[in-house]
Amino acid sequence: MTTADGRKVQVLDELSVFLENRPGQLRRVTDSIADAGVNLRALSLGESEHFGILRLLVDDLPTAEAVLHGLGIATRVTPVIGIDLPDEPGALASLLTLIGDEVNIEYSYAELSGPAVGALLIVKADPLDTALDRLRDAGL
């Protein structure tokens, strides 16, 4: 979906990577997928005492998965919504109002491109279809 001003809303495949919380694990993943020619488009890293979840958007999902599985690293692919947001006060608040309170935002992170371009907001919403319907109904 694309708005009249060129903003996009799209469903993206996010790669979740489950890592032990110890030194060198993030570098091991990033080195391995870089060596395979996979480009990172966005990432988020959350942690607990014993493990972390690295969430990635990549330009070649099958290759990234194969490389990580070859290293014995568990992964999962999850559909998320990518939403172009303008770089202005209230943009996120307005978007969340459009989505509504019936949709649970399980997590979110952003790829910031700068004031001239804005941001790509990544949203894991449940239910996904309801969030997409709300955005579509609002003209996004």
Side-chain angles (χ1 to χ4, degrees):
M1 293 179 274
T2 304
T3 64
D5 61 357
R7 292 188 295 150
K8 293 181 182 177
V9 174
Q10 55 192 315
V11 177
L12 303 168
D13 287 329
E14 174 190 78
L15 182 62
S16 294
V17 181
F18 302 94
L19 300 173
E20 290 181 71
N21 191 358
R22 60 185 175 92
Q25 292 302 295
L26 180 59
R27 195 183 100 215
R28 179 177 175 223
V29 167
T30 58
D31 282 352
S32 297
I33 62 175
D35 289 346
V38 175
N39 190 27
L40 292 176
R41 307 299 301 162
L43 68 87
S44 171
L45 178 61
E47 55 82 28
S48 69
E49 184 177 346
H50 300 289
F51 70 93
I53 300 176
L54 175 63
R55 293 184 166 99
L56 303 172
L57 296 180
V58 296
D59 68 349
D60 184 348
L61 182 63
T63 299
E65 281 186 293
V67 166
L68 296 174
H69 291 169
L71 295 173
I73 297 174
T75 65
R76 180 181 68 217
V77 175
T78 304
V80 294
I81 304 171
I83 307 161
D84 288 337
L85 282 182
D87 185 12
E88 60 189 36
L92 178 58
S94 295
L95 175 76
L96 294 175
T97 298
L98 291 176
I99 291 174
D101 291 337
E102 299 79 21
V103 175
N104 183 35
I105 304 298
E106 294 183 6
Y107 58 83
S108 181
Y109 55 97
E111 178 267 336
L112 302 174
S113 299
V117 180
L120 175 64
L121 179 69
I122 308 303
V123 175
K124 170 68 167 72
D126 182 39
L128 180 71
D129 290 339
T130 301
L132 289 170
D133 288 344
R134 296 279 171 84
L135 294 169
R136 189 176 299 112
D137 291 347
L140 295 177

